[in-house]
Amino acid sequence: MAQEVNLAQLRALVAVADAGGFGSAAAELGVSQSAVSHAVAALERVLGAPVLHRGAPARPTPLGERILPHARTAVASAAAVRSIAEHHSGGLTGTVRLAAPTTVCQGLLPALLRDWRAEHPRLTVRVFEGEDDELAVWLEAGTVDAAVLVDAGRVPPGAVPLGADSMHALLRRDHPLAGEASVDVADLEDDDFLLSEGGCEQHIRDAYRRAGVRFAPRHRIRDLNTLIGMVHAGVGVSVMPALAQPMLPPDCVLVPIRPAAHRTLTLTGPAGRPWSPAVTGLLAAVRPGRDRSAAPR
């Protein structure tokens, strides 16, 4: 009888592809590295071709790329079956992989994680931090089970709106405008502007456009902590979401901008496949209307 692909082999493939290495995948799965290597090698024997390039990082071959979405679906479906059975026996268990942007991880998720831990103590939530434009891709590819999406378009039934996160000017506390109730973006023209290359760039450009002010950032910074450090050092000013508040040193402040700009946040499961009971239960536990934002001080 010809050998068949089994779930352990597919689970190993997904873990290595996501972790970028056999050792990290082994830690993720809670097995030995040799067990992961044997599972991938067995899969390759069944398929008759390599599915992974053994490098640093390990990455899928063209064949691996083609089968990876199906492997993710199989692994997710098996997890859903286990979750349904466990839920039937009483209470949510298992693991939910949740993706969110940096500022959401800093300013919003801590309160949500506390709520979820209190309501579902047997359920584990693992957080994956990513850029705004990565999150929907991860979600639909099956890399994560749920995500906090920024300015999501159409979302599936059961998605939970988490509210709006307004844009604020990031200033040193000794900046002349730091004590104002709000700041017109035109008043920031005399300062060097540091632009974060994350998902908020469009909101910032739109605010400047509506104000009729030329937008000419002096510096482009990829990492948000680097940007905050440069503003703190007096290099310039920036604009970022209110949820960045927990990341700020004491000598920096956030001041609302005019014209106002904001982004919407939505907690959702994937649009292209059924949600596991764990994801459904997690989203159902979110209490609408509760203020979890980090209000600027």
Side-chain angles (χ1 to χ4, degrees):
M1 180 182 296
Q3 286 184 300
E4 294 289 339
V5 172
N6 64 47
L7 189 60
Q9 296 164 357
L10 297 179
R11 188 177 288 116
L13 169 62
V14 170
V16 175
D18 287 346
F22 285 78
S24 299
E28 173 76 19
L29 295 174
V31 299
S32 67
Q33 183 170 335
S34 63
V36 175
S37 297
H38 285 310
V40 172
L43 176 62
E44 292 175 329
R45 285 196 298 272
V46 172
L47 299 179
V51 295
L52 288 170
H53 292 294
R54 271 71 165 173
R59 52 189 174 79
T61 63
L63 173 62
E65 290 284 5
R66 292 185 63 187
I67 67 174
L68 193 55
H70 301 285
R72 291 190 192 282
T73 298
V75 171
S77 295
V81 169
R82 289 195 303 273
S83 182
I84 290 169
E86 290 163 348
H87 184 51
H88 181 73
S89 301
L92 292 178
T93 60
T95 299
V96 171
R97 299 164 299 171
L98 172 66
T102 299
T103 51
V104 171
C105 290
Q106 292 273 348
L108 192 62
L109 280 191
L112 281 172
L113 291 171
R114 286 193 298 270
D115 288 349
W116 287 331
R117 190 177 301 115
E119 188 144 350
H120 299 294
R122 298 169 61 202
L123 185 66
T124 299
V125 179
R126 299 186 55 225
V127 175
F128 292 74
E129 182 184 65
E131 299 291 342
D132 292 4
D133 56 357
E134 293 177 313
L135 305 180
V137 176
W138 290 354
L139 184 60
E140 297 310 321
T143 305
V144 297
D145 308 302
V148 178
L149 300 183
V150 177
D151 297 328
R154 296 179 61 184
V155 293
V160 177
L162 297 178
D165 186 19
S166 58
M167 296 294 116
H168 286 58
L170 173 63
L171 311 170
R172 279 175 55 101
R173 196 172 292 276
D174 59 3
H175 191 281
L177 299 175
E180 299 294 323
S182 62
V183 173
D184 194 303
V185 293
D187 295 333
L188 300 176
E189 281 195 296
D190 293 335
D191 296 275
D192 288 342
F193 193 94
L194 291 84
L195 176 64
S196 168
E197 295 188 337
C200 294
E201 179 174 352
Q202 186 55 47
H203 299 89
I204 298 170
R205 289 186 177 277
D206 183 62
Y208 272 78
R209 179 188 57 77
R210 287 185 286 124
V213 180
R214 185 175 68 95
F215 184 61
R218 176 64 61 90
H219 307 288
R220 291 179 174 271
I221 310 300
R222 182 174 183 83
D223 183 78
L224 203 55
N225 283 298
T226 301
L227 184 148
I228 292 170
M230 292 179 72
V231 172
H232 181 244
V235 175
V237 302
S238 189
V239 170
M240 61 178 51
L243 283 175
Q245 175 65 41
M247 305 174 66
L248 303 187
D251 291 342
C252 289
V253 297
L254 291 176
V255 182
I257 62 169
R258 303 189 308 271
H262 69 272
R263 58 181 186 166
T264 60
L265 304 173
T266 304
L267 176 60
T268 183
R273 63 182 187 278
W275 299 1
S276 72
V279 171
T280 301
L282 206 66
L283 270 65
V286 177
R287 296 173 178 83
R290 176 171 176 176
D291 182 12
R292 300 177 183 83
S293 64
R297 297 184 292 274

